[in-house]
């Protein structure tokens, strides 16, 4: 929600010290974090120290549905016997599986998409900060534009939509009180022109509502 990156290196050190296994939910990392998009563990160089990874097919890998858990064979067997979401869910449609499989093929075949995402994210964050906005998180494609006021976030999001930019205002109880924001998510299909037009719209709307001088 905040575009932050977990301190996974420190977590892995603690796990090693106390004989624990590391489980990571990578739903907001799979497909774009790390040199080849494998996630936070690749980004921070601890792939060999993470035992269990849970992620989704519903975000970066095509925006479809479903998810997965990877880990040791005995764990996977246990989940197949005991995990209620697995036992009581229908199988994914073949088209969804095909889409997700192709997305993984594209990521494994080249790091062009990942590099493009990183460049576009940096472009948006730097231009927004130069304009005077506060962007939460650390170089993550989820870019929360921090506004603080729930009404302001809602009204600005509505005016952004009028300008052809679809963003959502988040406020309490989805986020803590006083932490209202508009969350922007950079996509690989966005062009540099799209990024610049979005920033221009934010500046225009921000000045209209007094969020910028």
């Amino acid at each position: 929600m905040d575009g932050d990156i977990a301190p996974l290196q420190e977590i892995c050190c603690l796990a090693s010290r106390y004989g624990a296994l590391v489980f990571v939910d990578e739903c907001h990392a799979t497909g774009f974090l790390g040199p080849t998009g494998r996630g936070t563990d690749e980004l921070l160089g601890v792939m060999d120290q993470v035992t269990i990874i849970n992620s989704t097919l519903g975000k970066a890998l095509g925006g479809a549905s479903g998810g997965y858990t990877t880990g040791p064979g005995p764990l996977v067997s246990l989940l197949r016997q005991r995990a209620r979401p697995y036992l009581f869910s229908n199988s994914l449609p073949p088209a969804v599986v095909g889409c997700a499989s192709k997305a993984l093929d594209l990521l494994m075949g080249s790091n062009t998409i990942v590099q493009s995402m990183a460049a576009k994210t940096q472009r948006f964050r730097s231009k927004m900060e130069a304009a005077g906005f506060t962007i939460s998180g650390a170089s993550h494609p989820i870019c929360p534009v921090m506004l603080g006021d729930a009404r302001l976030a809602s009204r600005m999001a509505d005016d952004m939509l009028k300008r052809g930019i679809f963003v959502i205002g988040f406020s309490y109880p989805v986020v803590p009180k006083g932490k209202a924001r508009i969350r922007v998510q950079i996509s690989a299909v966005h062009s540099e022109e799209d990024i610049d037009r979005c920033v221009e719209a934010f500046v225009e709307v921000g000045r209209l509502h007094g969020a910028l001088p």
Side-chain angles (χ1 to χ4, degrees), residues 100-200:
S101 179
K102 183 61 178 179
L104 290 170
D105 288 343
L106 291 172
L107 286 170
M108 295 177 71
S110 170
N111 64 353
T112 301
I113 296 175
V114 175
Q115 290 179 339
S116 173
M117 280 281 291
K120 291 168 187 174
T121 297
Q122 178 58 31
R123 186 182 188 91
F124 178 80
R125 284 179 170 271
S126 61
K127 283 180 173 286
M128 287 289 284
E129 289 172 351
F133 287 103
T134 298
I135 311 297
S136 180
S139 301
H140 195 288
I142 293 177
C143 303
V145 182
M146 305 303 293
L147 298 169
D149 183 84
R151 182 172 174 80
L152 175 63
S154 178
R155 293 180 67 181
M156 282 184 60
D158 289 343
D159 280 351
M160 290 290 288
L161 183 58
K162 294 175 183 177
R163 289 161 174 78
I165 309 293
F166 180 60
V167 289
I168 299 293
F170 286 86
S171 58
Y172 180 83
V174 180
V175 296
K177 290 182 178 180
K179 298 289 186 179
R181 80 284 303 271
I182 292 176
R183 190 171 73 169
V184 179
Q185 295 175 218
I186 306 302
S187 167
V189 299
H190 288 143
S191 66
E192 291 186 351
E193 291 75 17
D194 292 331
I195 300 295
D196 294 346
R197 187 164 72 89
C198 181
V199 173
E200 291 168 4

Side-chain angles (χ1 to χ4, degrees), residues 18-58:
Y18 294 103
L21 301 179
V22 178
F23 167 91
V24 184
D25 182 340
E26 290 283 58
C27 290
H28 292 96
T30 299
F32 52 89
L33 285 188
T36 62
R38 281 165 170 76
T40 313
D41 57 345
E42 182 187 42
L43 176 71
L44 299 179
V46 291
M47 291 181 69
D48 60 336
Q49 300 176 56
V50 174
T51 303
I52 308 164
I53 294 176
N54 189 74
S55 195
T56 180
L57 306 178

